[in-house]
Amino acid sequence: MAEILQNITYSFVLASRNSSSHSTFFILLGIPGLENYQFWVAFPFCVMYILAVTGNVTILHIIRIDHTLHEPMYLFLAMLATTDLVLSSSTQPKMLAILWFHDHKIEYHACLIQVFFIHAFSSVESGVLMAMALDRYVAICFPLRHSSILTMSVVIKLGTAVMVRGLLWVSPFCFMISRMPFCPNKVIPQSYCEHMAVLKLVCADTKINRGYGLFVAFSVVGFDIIVIGVSYVMILRAVLRLPSGEARLKAFGTCASHIGVILALYIPALFTFLTHRFGHHVPRVVHIMFANVYLLVPPMLNPIIYGVRTKQIRDRVIQGCCRKGP
C-alpha cells in the first residue's frame, strides 16, 4: 500500500514537471478577512495540531506494544489514528508557516500533492469510521459471533478496500488538474490547496472535473453515511432492549460521543464542499474557518473519544504515566 501511494505521488510530481503550461507556484492567502489577527489565530490551531499528533501517536504506540489490543476494534482505531496524522500533517505545518511567517508561496507540485492527500485521506477517514460503526454493530448485536464474523482476514480486507477506494477514486481528478492550463491568477484564498479552490484557477472547461468531484464526494460520503446510520440505528435498538437502566445510559453516552465525532467530520466537510459550488453568499472567513475545522478538529477529538474513553487504552496510558512518575 505504501508503494502504491509513493507511485501515485511520484506520478503527480512528474506530470506537473512535464507540463509547461503550469505556474511554478501558487499564493495561499491564509484566512482572508482575518489578516490582522492571523498571528493570534494560529496559536489555537497549533495547540489543536499538537494535541492531534500527541494523541494519535500515543494511540498507535499503545496498540503496537500491547498484543491484547490486536483485535478488530483497536486495529480500526490504529487505521483511524494513522489517517488523522496524515490528514492533519498534510495541511497544518504549511498553514502555521503562512499565519506566523507569511510564507504564502507553495510550489505547484507540492500543491497538487496536498490536494491528493487531503481528499484521499478524507475518503479513507470516512471509510474507517464506517468500518468502526460496522464493528460496533456486530459486537453489540451479535456478541457471540463477533470473533467469527470479523476475523483478522476480514479486517485486513476491509481496511485495504477503504484505503484503495480513497487512493484510486481521488487520483483521477488530481491527474485531470495536472494536465490543464492555469490562468495568470495564482492566488488561492485559503490556507491550503483544495480541489475546488485550485480548479477555479484553471483557464479551461472544468465541467468534467466538477462532475467527477461531485460523484466521488456523494458516492463516498453518501454510502458511508448510510452504512453508519443503519449501524447506529440497529445499535440503539439493541441498547433499548438492555434490562439495566445504567447500562442503557452508558451505551447511549458512548453512542452519542461517537456520533458527535462523526458529525464533526461530515458537517464541516459537506459545508465546505457545497459552499465552493453553491454558497456564493457565504462570508469567505466563515467558509475558510470551516475548511480548517474539518481537517483539524476530528483528528484532535478521535484519540479522546475512541481512545482515552476506551478502558483498555486508558489503563495503559495511566500505567505509562505512573511508571514515569517519581
Side-chain angles (χ1 to χ4, degrees):
M1 189 58 61
E3 185 177 352
I4 294 175
L5 184 59
Q6 183 179 6
N7 289 338
I8 292 174
T9 304
Y10 177 74
S11 298
F12 291 157
V13 175
L14 188 61
S16 66
R17 288 177 178 173
N18 289 340
S19 179
S20 59
S21 64
H22 291 148
S23 302
T24 57
F25 65 90
F26 294 122
I27 301 296
L28 294 169
L29 292 185
I31 307 178
L34 293 180
E35 288 83 0
N36 296 330
Y37 307 99
Q38 287 187 154
F39 180 83
W40 303 108
V41 171
F43 283 98
F45 283 139
C46 182
V47 171
M48 287 190 287
Y49 178 55
I50 291 172
L51 291 174
V53 171
T54 303
N56 286 296
V57 168
T58 301
I59 293 294
L60 287 172
H61 176 67
I62 291 173
I63 294 175
R64 183 183 66 85
I65 63 174
D66 191 340
H67 293 284
T68 64
L69 300 181
H70 292 182
E71 299 176 0
M73 173 184 173
Y74 302 105
L75 294 177
F76 287 134
L77 181 57
M79 295 179 199
L80 185 66
T82 303
T83 303
D84 283 337
L85 285 173
V86 174
L87 199 55
S88 58
S89 297
S90 65
T91 59
Q92 295 310 305
K94 179 61 180 178
M95 188 189 76
L96 294 175
I98 293 170
L99 301 184
W100 275 338
F101 307 111
H102 305 290
D103 182 16
H104 295 277
K105 186 181 294 186
I106 182 170
E107 293 183 357
Y108 170 77
H109 66 267
C111 183
L112 187 62
I113 291 172
Q114 193 177 61
V115 169
F116 170 73
F117 272 86
I118 290 169
H119 293 285
F121 281 89
S122 292
S123 172
V124 172
E125 173 133 348
S126 177
V128 173
L129 290 174
M130 176 196 67
M132 294 177 75
L134 286 173
D135 172 66
R136 291 297 84 207
Y137 163 68
V138 175
I140 292 174
C141 297
F142 305 98
L144 300 179
R145 298 174 55 195
H146 181 259
S147 58
S148 61
I149 295 175
L150 283 176
T151 62
M152 186 62 67
S153 173
V154 171
V155 171
I156 292 173
K157 289 177 181 177
L158 188 55
T160 301
V162 165
M163 179 66 73
V164 170
R165 185 190 68 171
L167 300 182
L168 295 186
W169 283 39
V170 169
S171 299
F173 61 64
C174 292
F175 280 115
M176 284 189 282
I177 286 183
S178 70
R179 299 294 182 181
M180 303 183 82
F182 283 86
C183 302
N185 177 27
K186 301 177 181 179
V187 178
I188 299 175
Q190 291 191 191
S191 54
Y192 60 84
C193 291
E194 189 267 341
H195 176 238
M196 280 302 301
V198 176
L199 198 62
K200 289 178 179 179
L201 304 183
V202 171
C203 279
D205 186 1
T206 59
K207 289 181 181 178
I208 295 177
N209 302 65
R210 293 171 183 270
Y212 184 72
L214 283 169
F215 166 74
V216 170
F218 284 110
S219 61
V220 170
V221 174
F223 178 78
D224 292 350
I225 286 180
I226 290 173
V227 174
I228 291 171
V230 171
S231 297
Y232 275 101
V233 166
M234 300 303 292
I235 289 171
L236 291 174
R237 287 183 59 186
V239 168
L240 289 173
R241 297 193 187 102
L242 293 174
S244 170
E246 184 178 351
R248 285 199 301 270
L249 187 62
K250 183 178 179 181
F252 274 125
T254 301
C255 288
S257 61
H258 289 186
I259 293 172
V261 171
I262 292 169
L263 293 178
L265 172 69
Y266 285 122
I267 291 178
L270 286 174
F271 176 85
T272 302
F273 178 78
L274 295 174
T275 299
H276 264 303
R277 290 162 172 80
F278 312 112
H280 304 296
H281 301 294
V282 175
R284 181 171 290 177
V285 64
V286 174
H287 178 199
I288 303 307
M289 292 302 289
F290 267 89
N292 288 319
V293 162
Y294 99 88
L295 293 178
L296 189 56
V297 171
M300 178 189 69
L301 291 179
N302 287 340
I304 299 172
I305 301 301
Y306 291 109
V308 176
R309 293 191 61 177
T310 303
K311 184 178 184 302
Q312 293 87 334
I313 293 180
R314 184 173 63 247
D315 291 345
R316 292 290 301 183
V317 172
I318 294 173
Q319 290 172 12
C321 293
C322 292
R323 292 195 190 102
K324 295 179 181 179

